[in-house]
Amino acid sequence: MQEEYKKHISSRFDSELESLCNQFIAMGGLVEQQVSDAVVALIEGNLELAKAVMEKDDVVNDYERQIDERVELMLAKRQPAAGDLRLTLMLSKATTDLERIGDEAAKIARVASQMDSQGHSPRGYSESRNLSAQVCNMIHEALDAFARFDLEHALKVVKTDQKIDEEYASTMRALLTYILEDNRYITQVINVMWVLRAIERVGDHARNVAEQVIYVICGEDVRHIDIDQIQRRVESQSEAQKGR
Amino acid sequence: MQEEYKKHISSRFDSELESLCNQFIAMGGLVEQQVSDAVVALIEGNLELAKAVMEKDDVVNDYERQIDERVELMLAKRQPAAGDLRLTLMLSKATTDLERIGDEAAKIARVASQMDSQGHSPRGYSESRNLSAQVCNMIHEALDAFARFDLEHALKVVKTDQKIDEEYASTMRALLTYILEDNRYITQVINVMWVLRAIERVGDHARNVAEQVIYVICGEDVRHIDIDQIQRRVESQSEAQKGR
């Protein structure tokens, strides 16, 4: 997949920007793996894996630092204009989101470690696995949309986030009802609630990345705009592209 | 205060950057007020105020959009170098943090509205008030450090965040112990836990802003560095400045 990304990007940008894009995508792949590993560590009670995720957060942070340095250098030395400038700014913003995704993964791993001593929750694991699979897919799709400059893919990520938020809210209600009825596992269930919230945040950050991708492609800021409006804008852009 | 900020900034930058800095500071003042109002709305059960905070989130979002547009224009038309470039990039990143602070304030206001129907919590209000006063002060100090280019002030904010994290953790433990002993108010206490977590996040974002301020002043990326290292770097910078 990474190979295919590279092909798409190299046809579009010069080598310096291309290399920056590839580093961004590599960072995205890493944080996607971190989230996935953290949730597996939780569900399987795998302490080794939890520890590995926490340790690898340093690698995520290094990526962020390096990308930001390169963005600054790019702006200082090459003074990119128009689309290249938007892309550079997008990388700067979206890298922050990837780093925060890494933070959430490390938090989940930390809860996974605690639960080994505090005991496991009788509820909420399958929902965690299910939601985490979906948000990992969102990260993947957002990177894919970025690499292919694919508006519709990016829009799909934004839409999925709405669905995630609804599933998250209903799962939280169910868990709350559960501890109200049977309070033997309050601590453990609340731990799972923190995990679910972290996963929901990952979805928010993946959505932010997708919105930044839309900004790069369309040159329009679609943050804080409701989804139907985004859809209409994307459609009119697609029409315009086809008409070329 | 805002007047004094303006004086400091105008002596340092040209009028375009100066105006951008002032808009950033105004946005910071707004989100500080939003957090403070949201917590008052919660504690006093003031639904009107909660509604006002949620509505005003649009104004916060408009600020973000405007500042980002101006950053892009600045980079495209003026191609700032060195310190001005760092400042422009810092504004781009830190604006995202201010916007997320606004999001957290809106979330607190939403919980405040819910609690009106779900009932109030017997615990956690004074802790919420106390922590929120501290994080609002962090926002204020971070903006102050920015306006004055004051490294030591910025460092103080980074340090305070550590203290906040500790207070947050101990308050959460106390609330958990409380609901384990008396489970009549689980829903309400969990609502207060969400509020506390939102407040703790505000502290994280204020810390991010302060780290960005350090980056502008020193030209060094101090994210993900432990606090003693930051302290040493700041001190060596201060020495160098005095020696000039």
Side-chain angles (χ1 to χ4, degrees):
Chain A
M1 182 85 149
Q2 296 248 342
E3 280 312 307
E4 204 184 328
Y5 282 163
K6 282 184 186 162
K7 212 180 66 201
H8 277 271
I9 290 170
S10 73
S11 62
R12 209 178 284 270
F13 301 110
D14 73 17
S15 64
E16 184 62 28
L17 253 180
E18 183 193 333
S19 146
L20 195 49
C21 289
N22 290 332
Q23 193 172 16
F24 173 79
I25 289 170
M27 179 180 182
L30 172 60
V31 299
E32 182 190 336
Q33 190 62 48
Q34 287 279 89
V35 174
S36 164
D37 285 350
V39 173
V40 168
L42 174 85
I43 291 170
E44 297 181 354
N46 185 337
L47 285 180
E48 283 298 309
L49 189 57
K51 198 165 155 247
V53 170
M54 287 185 274
E55 284 171 0
K56 222 179 263 173
D57 195 39
D58 282 345
V59 183
V60 176
N61 296 341
D62 284 342
Y63 263 114
E64 184 191 27
R65 224 183 337 246
Q66 284 167 20
I67 292 176
D68 275 338
E69 264 178 41
R70 293 179 69 181
V71 162
E72 190 182 328
L73 261 178
M74 173 80 68
L75 290 168
K77 303 229 159 131
R78 319 268 307 239
Q79 304 174 329
D84 286 1
L85 173 58
R86 276 209 305 275
L87 175 64
T88 311
L89 282 171
M90 175 263 164
L91 289 171
S92 164
K93 292 253 184 195
T95 297
T96 307
D97 282 298
L98 294 185
E99 191 272 333
R100 305 262 159 96
I101 289 175
D103 281 350
E104 300 299 337
K107 272 181 215 164
I108 295 169
R110 218 167 297 131
V111 174
S113 305
Q114 282 167 10
M115 286 182 101
D116 191 63
S117 56
Q118 295 181 349
H120 286 276
S121 168
R123 294 286 166 106
Y125 281 16
S126 65
E127 293 87 343
S128 298
R129 183 170 42 214
N130 176 18
L131 268 186
S132 105
Q134 290 185 67
V135 300
C136 283
N137 196 45
M138 281 173 74
I139 303 172
H140 202 89
E141 296 269 314
L143 295 171
D144 202 32
F146 171 65
R148 299 165 188 275
F149 265 49
D150 181 336
L151 267 177
E152 283 172 45
H153 246 75
L155 186 67
K156 205 175 120 199
V157 176
V158 175
K159 269 191 187 160
T160 308
D161 188 43
Q162 256 186 348
K163 195 172 138 261
I164 297 284
D165 289 351
E166 284 157 21
E167 279 188 39
Y168 163 75
S170 89
T171 302
M172 293 298 266
R173 277 193 301 274
L175 290 176
L176 195 56
T177 307
Y178 174 76
I179 50 177
L180 286 171
E181 284 166 5
D182 179 350
N183 54 38
R184 285 171 299 165
Y185 300 101
I186 293 181
T187 311
Q188 293 82 349
V189 174
I190 287 181
N191 274 336
V192 170
M193 285 178 158
W194 293 135
V195 168
L196 284 160
R197 167 143 289 198
I199 296 172
E200 183 261 339
R201 289 258 172 195
V202 171
D204 289 344
H205 289 297
R207 179 198 163 119
N208 292 342
V209 173
E211 285 176 346
Q212 291 289 337
V213 170
I214 296 175
Y215 158 76
V216 168
I217 306 176
C218 304
E220 261 196 277
D221 187 344
V222 294
R223 295 172 302 185
H224 319 306
I225 293 178
D226 87 67
I227 206 154
D228 293 333
Q229 271 180 288
I230 299 179
Q231 174 94 55
R232 278 196 297 276
R233 291 193 189 189
V234 167
E235 278 166 3
S236 71
Q237 286 274 347
S238 298
E239 288 301 312
Q241 277 176 353
K242 279 178 200 149
R244 260 180 218 160
Chain B
M1 184 87 147
Q2 294 250 340
E3 279 312 308
E4 206 186 324
Y5 282 161
K6 282 183 186 163
K7 214 178 66 201
H8 277 271
I9 291 169
S10 72
S11 63
R12 208 178 285 271
F13 301 109
D14 74 16
S15 64
E16 186 61 29
L17 253 181
E18 181 194 337
S19 148
L20 195 49
C21 289
N22 289 332
Q23 193 173 16
F24 173 78
I25 288 170
M27 180 181 181
L30 173 60
V31 299
E32 181 190 338
Q33 190 62 48
Q34 287 279 89
V35 174
S36 163
D37 284 351
V39 174
V40 168
L42 174 85
I43 291 170
E44 297 182 353
N46 185 338
L47 285 180
E48 282 298 309
L49 188 58
K51 199 165 154 243
V53 170
M54 287 185 273
E55 285 171 359
K56 222 179 261 172
D57 194 40
D58 283 343
V59 182
V60 176
N61 296 340
D62 284 342
Y63 263 113
E64 184 191 28
R65 220 180 342 245
Q66 284 166 20
I67 292 175
D68 275 337
E69 263 179 41
R70 292 178 69 180
V71 162
E72 189 182 329
L73 261 177
M74 174 80 67
L75 291 168
K77 302 228 159 133
R78 318 268 306 242
Q79 304 175 329
D84 286 0
L85 173 59
R86 276 210 306 275
L87 174 64
T88 310
L89 281 171
M90 174 262 166
L91 288 171
S92 164
K93 292 254 185 196
T95 297
T96 305
D97 281 298
L98 294 185
E99 192 271 333
R100 305 263 160 96
I101 289 176
D103 281 350
E104 299 299 337
K107 271 181 215 165
I108 296 169
R110 218 168 297 131
V111 174
S113 304
Q114 281 167 10
M115 286 182 100
D116 191 65
S117 57
Q118 296 181 349
H120 287 276
S121 168
R123 294 285 165 104
Y125 281 18
S126 65
E127 293 87 344
S128 299
R129 183 170 43 217
N130 176 17
L131 268 186
S132 105
Q134 290 185 68
V135 298
C136 283
N137 196 45
M138 281 172 75
I139 303 172
H140 201 88
E141 297 269 314
L143 295 172
D144 202 34
F146 170 65
R148 298 166 188 276
F149 265 49
D150 181 338
L151 267 176
E152 284 173 43
H153 245 77
L155 186 67
K156 206 175 119 198
V157 175
V158 175
K159 271 192 186 158
T160 309
D161 189 43
Q162 257 187 345
K163 194 171 140 262
I164 296 283
D165 289 350
E166 285 157 19
E167 279 189 40
Y168 163 76
S170 89
T171 302
M172 292 299 265
R173 277 194 299 274
L175 290 177
L176 195 55
T177 307
Y178 175 77
I179 51 176
L180 286 172
E181 284 166 4
D182 179 350
N183 54 37
R184 285 172 300 165
Y185 300 101
I186 292 180
T187 311
Q188 293 82 350
V189 173
I190 288 181
N191 274 335
V192 170
M193 285 177 157
W194 294 135
V195 167
L196 285 160
R197 168 143 287 200
I199 296 171
E200 183 262 339
R201 289 258 171 194
V202 171
D204 289 344
H205 289 297
R207 179 197 163 120
N208 293 342
V209 173
E211 286 176 346
Q212 290 291 336
V213 170
I214 296 174
Y215 158 75
V216 168
I217 306 177
C218 305
E220 261 198 276
D221 188 343
V222 292
R223 296 171 302 184
H224 319 305
I225 294 177
D226 90 68
I227 206 152
D228 292 332
Q229 271 181 288
I230 298 178
Q231 174 95 54
R232 278 195 297 278
R233 291 195 188 187
V234 167
E235 278 166 4
S236 71
Q237 283 277 345
S238 297
E239 289 301 313
Q241 275 174 355
K242 277 177 202 151
R244 262 181 216 158

Coordinates of all heavy atoms in Angstrom, one line a residue, chain A residues 109-154:
Chain A
A109 N -3.0 2.0 26.5 CA -2.0 1.0 26.9 C -1.8 1.2 28.4 O -1.6 0.2 29.1 CB -0.7 1.2 26.2
R110 N -1.8 2.4 28.9 CA -1.6 2.6 30.4 C -2.8 2.0 31.2 O -2.6 1.3 32.2 CB -1.5 4.1 30.7 CG -0.5 4.4 31.8 CD -0.1 5.9 31.8 NE 0.5 6.4 30.6 CZ 0.1 7.4 29.9 NH1 -0.9 8.2 30.3 NH2 0.7 7.8 28.8
V111 N -4.0 2.2 30.7 CA -5.2 1.6 31.3 C -5.0 0.1 31.3 O -5.3 -0.6 32.2 CB -6.5 2.0 30.6 CG1 -7.7 1.3 31.2 CG2 -6.7 3.5 30.8
A112 N -4.6 -0.5 30.1 CA -4.4 -1.9 30.0 C -3.5 -2.4 31.0 O -3.7 -3.5 31.6 CB -3.9 -2.2 28.6
S113 N -2.4 -1.7 31.3 CA -1.4 -2.1 32.4 C -2.1 -2.1 33.8 O -1.9 -3.0 34.6 CB -0.2 -1.2 32.4 OG 0.4 -1.1 31.2
Q114 N -2.9 -1.0 34.0 CA -3.5 -0.9 35.3 C -4.5 -2.0 35.6 O -4.6 -2.6 36.7 CB -4.3 0.4 35.4 CG -3.5 1.6 35.7 CD -4.3 2.9 35.4 OE1 -5.5 2.8 35.2 NE2 -3.6 4.0 35.4
M115 N -5.2 -2.4 34.5 CA -6.3 -3.4 34.7 C -5.7 -4.8 35.1 O -6.4 -5.6 35.6 CB -7.1 -3.5 33.4 CG -8.0 -2.3 33.3 SD -9.1 -2.3 31.9 CE -10.6 -2.8 32.6
D116 N -4.5 -4.9 34.8 CA -3.8 -6.2 35.2 C -3.9 -6.3 36.7 O -4.1 -7.4 37.3 CB -2.4 -6.3 34.7 CG -1.8 -7.6 34.9 OD1 -2.4 -8.6 34.2 OD2 -0.9 -7.8 35.6
S117 N -3.7 -5.2 37.4 CA -3.7 -5.2 38.9 C -5.1 -5.0 39.4 O -5.5 -5.5 40.4 CB -2.7 -4.2 39.5 OG -3.0 -2.9 39.0
Q118 N -5.9 -4.1 38.7 CA -7.2 -3.7 39.2 C -8.3 -4.7 38.8 O -9.4 -4.6 39.3 CB -7.5 -2.3 38.8 CG -6.6 -1.3 39.3 CD -7.0 0.1 38.9 OE1 -7.8 0.3 38.0 NE2 -6.3 1.1 39.5
G119 N -8.0 -5.7 38.0 CA -9.0 -6.6 37.6 C -9.6 -6.2 36.3 O -9.6 -5.0 35.9
H120 N -10.2 -7.2 35.6 CA -10.8 -6.9 34.3 C -12.3 -6.5 34.3 O -13.0 -6.9 35.3 CB -10.5 -8.1 33.3 CG -9.1 -8.1 32.9 ND1 -8.6 -7.3 31.9 CD2 -8.0 -8.7 33.5 CE1 -7.3 -7.5 31.8 NE2 -6.9 -8.3 32.7
S121 N -12.7 -5.8 33.3 CA -14.1 -5.4 33.3 C -14.9 -6.6 32.7 O -14.5 -7.2 31.7 CB -14.3 -4.2 32.5 OG -15.6 -3.9 32.2
P122 N -16.1 -6.8 33.2 CA -17.0 -7.8 32.6 C -17.7 -7.3 31.4 O -18.3 -8.1 30.7 CB -18.0 -8.1 33.7 CG -18.1 -6.9 34.5 CD -16.7 -6.2 34.4
R123 N -17.6 -6.0 31.1 CA -18.3 -5.5 30.0 C -17.4 -4.5 29.2 O -16.5 -4.0 29.7 CB -19.5 -4.6 30.5 CG -20.6 -5.4 31.1 CD -21.4 -6.2 30.0 NE -22.3 -7.2 30.7 CZ -23.6 -7.1 30.9 NH1 -24.2 -6.1 30.4 NH2 -24.2 -8.0 31.5
G124 N -17.8 -4.2 28.0 CA -17.2 -3.1 27.2 C -16.0 -3.5 26.3 O -15.6 -2.7 25.5
Y125 N -15.6 -4.8 26.4 CA -14.4 -5.1 25.6 C -14.8 -5.3 24.1 O -14.1 -4.8 23.2 CB -13.8 -6.4 26.1 CG -12.9 -6.3 27.3 CD1 -13.0 -5.1 28.1 CD2 -12.0 -7.2 27.7 CE1 -12.2 -4.9 29.2 CE2 -11.2 -7.0 28.8 CZ -11.3 -5.9 29.5 OH -10.5 -5.7 30.6
S126 N -15.9 -6.0 23.8 CA -16.2 -6.2 22.4 C -16.6 -4.8 21.8 O -16.2 -4.6 20.6 CB -17.4 -7.2 22.3 OG -18.6 -6.6 22.8
E127 N -17.2 -3.9 22.6 CA -17.5 -2.6 22.0 C -16.2 -1.8 21.8 O -16.1 -1.1 20.8 CB -18.4 -1.8 23.0 CG -19.8 -2.4 23.2 CD -19.8 -3.4 24.3 OE1 -18.8 -4.0 24.7 OE2 -20.9 -3.7 24.8
S128 N -15.2 -2.0 22.7 CA -13.9 -1.3 22.5 C -13.2 -1.9 21.2 O -12.7 -1.1 20.4 CB -13.0 -1.6 23.7 OG -13.5 -1.1 24.8
R129 N -13.3 -3.2 21.0 CA -12.6 -3.8 19.9 C -13.3 -3.3 18.6 O -12.7 -2.9 17.6 CB -12.7 -5.3 19.9 CG -12.0 -6.0 18.8 CD -11.9 -7.5 18.9 NE -13.1 -8.0 19.5 CZ -13.2 -9.0 20.4 NH1 -12.1 -9.6 20.8 NH2 -14.3 -9.4 20.8
N130 N -14.6 -3.3 18.6 CA -15.4 -2.9 17.5 C -15.2 -1.4 17.1 O -14.8 -1.1 16.0 CB -16.9 -3.1 17.8 CG -17.8 -2.6 16.7 OD1 -17.4 -2.4 15.6 ND2 -19.1 -2.4 17.0
L131 N -15.2 -0.5 18.1 CA -15.0 0.9 17.9 C -13.6 1.2 17.4 O -13.3 2.0 16.5 CB -15.3 1.7 19.1 CG -16.7 2.3 19.3 CD1 -16.7 3.2 20.5 CD2 -17.2 3.1 18.1
S132 N -12.6 0.4 18.0 CA -11.2 0.7 17.7 C -11.0 0.2 16.2 O -10.2 0.9 15.5 CB -10.3 0.1 18.7 OG -9.7 -1.1 18.2
A133 N -11.6 -0.9 15.8 CA -11.4 -1.3 14.4 C -11.9 -0.2 13.5 O -11.3 0.1 12.5 CB -12.2 -2.6 14.2
Q134 N -13.0 0.4 13.9 CA -13.6 1.5 13.0 C -12.7 2.7 13.0 O -12.5 3.3 11.9 CB -15.0 1.8 13.5 CG -16.0 0.7 13.2 CD -17.4 1.2 13.6 OE1 -18.0 2.0 12.9 NE2 -18.0 0.6 14.6
V135 N -12.2 3.1 14.1 CA -11.4 4.4 14.1 C -10.0 4.1 13.4 O -9.5 5.0 12.7 CB -11.2 5.0 15.5 CG1 -12.5 5.5 16.0 CG2 -10.4 4.2 16.4
C136 N -9.5 2.9 13.6 CA -8.2 2.5 12.9 C -8.5 2.6 11.4 O -7.6 3.1 10.6 CB -7.7 1.2 13.2 SG -6.9 1.2 14.9
N137 N -9.6 2.1 11.0 CA -10.0 2.2 9.6 C -10.1 3.7 9.1 O -9.7 4.0 8.0 CB -11.3 1.4 9.3 CG -11.5 1.2 7.8 OD1 -10.6 0.8 7.2 ND2 -12.7 1.4 7.4
M138 N -10.6 4.5 10.0 CA -10.7 6.0 9.6 C -9.3 6.6 9.4 O -9.2 7.3 8.5 CB -11.4 6.7 10.8 CG -12.9 6.6 10.8 SD -13.6 7.4 12.3 CE -13.4 9.1 11.9
I139 N -8.4 6.2 10.3 CA -7.0 6.7 10.1 C -6.5 6.3 8.7 O -6.0 7.1 7.9 CB -6.1 6.2 11.2 CG1 -6.6 6.6 12.6 CG2 -4.6 6.8 11.0 CD1 -5.7 5.9 13.7
H140 N -6.7 5.0 8.5 CA -6.2 4.4 7.2 C -6.9 5.1 6.0 O -6.2 5.5 5.0 CB -6.6 2.9 7.2 CG -5.8 2.1 6.3 ND1 -4.6 1.5 6.6 CD2 -6.0 1.8 5.0 CE1 -4.1 0.9 5.6 NE2 -4.9 1.1 4.6
E141 N -8.2 5.3 6.1 CA -8.9 5.9 5.0 C -8.5 7.4 4.8 O -8.4 7.9 3.7 CB -10.4 5.9 5.2 CG -11.0 4.5 5.3 CD -11.4 4.0 3.9 OE1 -12.1 4.8 3.2 OE2 -11.1 2.9 3.5
A142 N -8.2 8.1 5.9 CA -7.8 9.5 5.8 C -6.4 9.6 5.1 O -6.2 10.5 4.3 CB -7.7 10.1 7.2
L143 N -5.5 8.7 5.5 CA -4.2 8.7 4.8 C -4.3 8.3 3.3 O -3.7 8.9 2.5 CB -3.3 7.7 5.5 CG -2.9 8.0 7.0 CD1 -2.2 6.8 7.6 CD2 -2.1 9.2 7.0
D144 N -5.2 7.4 3.1 CA -5.5 6.9 1.7 C -6.0 8.1 0.9 O -5.6 8.4 -0.2 CB -6.5 5.8 1.8 CG -6.5 4.9 0.5 OD1 -5.4 4.8 -0.1 OD2 -7.5 4.4 0.1
A145 N -7.0 8.8 1.5 CA -7.6 10.0 0.8 C -6.5 11.0 0.5 O -6.5 11.7 -0.5 CB -8.7 10.6 1.7
F146 N -5.6 11.2 1.5 CA -4.5 12.1 1.3 C -3.6 11.7 0.2 O -3.3 12.5 -0.7 CB -3.7 12.2 2.6 CG -2.4 13.0 2.5 CD1 -2.4 14.3 2.3 CD2 -1.2 12.3 2.7 CE1 -1.3 15.0 2.1 CE2 0.0 13.1 2.6 CZ 0.0 14.4 2.3
A147 N -3.2 10.4 0.2 CA -2.2 10.0 -0.8 C -2.8 10.0 -2.2 O -2.1 10.3 -3.2 CB -1.8 8.5 -0.5
R148 N -4.1 9.8 -2.3 CA -4.7 9.8 -3.7 C -5.4 11.1 -4.0 O -6.0 11.2 -5.1 CB -5.8 8.7 -3.7 CG -5.3 7.3 -3.5 CD -6.5 6.4 -3.2 NE -6.0 5.1 -2.8 CZ -5.7 4.1 -3.7 NH1 -5.8 4.3 -4.9 NH2 -5.3 2.9 -3.2
F149 N -5.4 12.1 -3.1 CA -6.1 13.3 -3.3 C -7.5 13.0 -3.6 O -8.1 13.5 -4.6 CB -5.4 14.1 -4.4 CG -4.5 15.2 -3.8 CD1 -3.6 14.8 -2.8 CD2 -4.6 16.5 -4.1 CE1 -2.7 15.7 -2.3 CE2 -3.7 17.4 -3.6 CZ -2.8 17.0 -2.6
D150 N -8.1 12.2 -2.8 CA -9.5 11.6 -3.1 C -10.5 12.3 -2.2 O -10.6 11.9 -1.0 CB -9.4 10.1 -2.9 CG -10.8 9.5 -3.3 OD1 -11.8 10.1 -3.2 OD2 -10.7 8.3 -3.6
L151 N -11.2 13.2 -2.7 CA -12.2 14.0 -1.9 C -13.3 13.1 -1.3 O -13.7 13.2 -0.1 CB -12.9 15.0 -2.8 CG -12.3 16.4 -2.8 CD1 -13.1 17.2 -3.8 CD2 -12.4 17.0 -1.5
E152 N -13.8 12.1 -2.1 CA -14.9 11.3 -1.6 C -14.5 10.4 -0.5 O -15.2 10.3 0.5 CB -15.5 10.6 -2.8 CG -16.4 11.5 -3.6 CD -16.9 10.9 -4.9 OE1 -17.4 9.7 -4.8 OE2 -16.9 11.6 -5.9
H153 N -13.3 9.9 -0.6 CA -12.7 9.1 0.6 C -12.6 10.0 1.8 O -13.0 9.5 2.9 CB -11.3 8.7 0.2 CG -11.2 7.2 0.1 ND1 -11.6 6.5 -1.0 CD2 -10.6 6.3 0.9 CE1 -11.4 5.3 -0.9 NE2 -10.8 5.1 0.3
A154 N -12.1 11.2 1.7 CA -12.0 12.1 2.8 C -13.3 12.4 3.4 O -13.5 12.4 4.7 CB -11.3 13.4 2.4

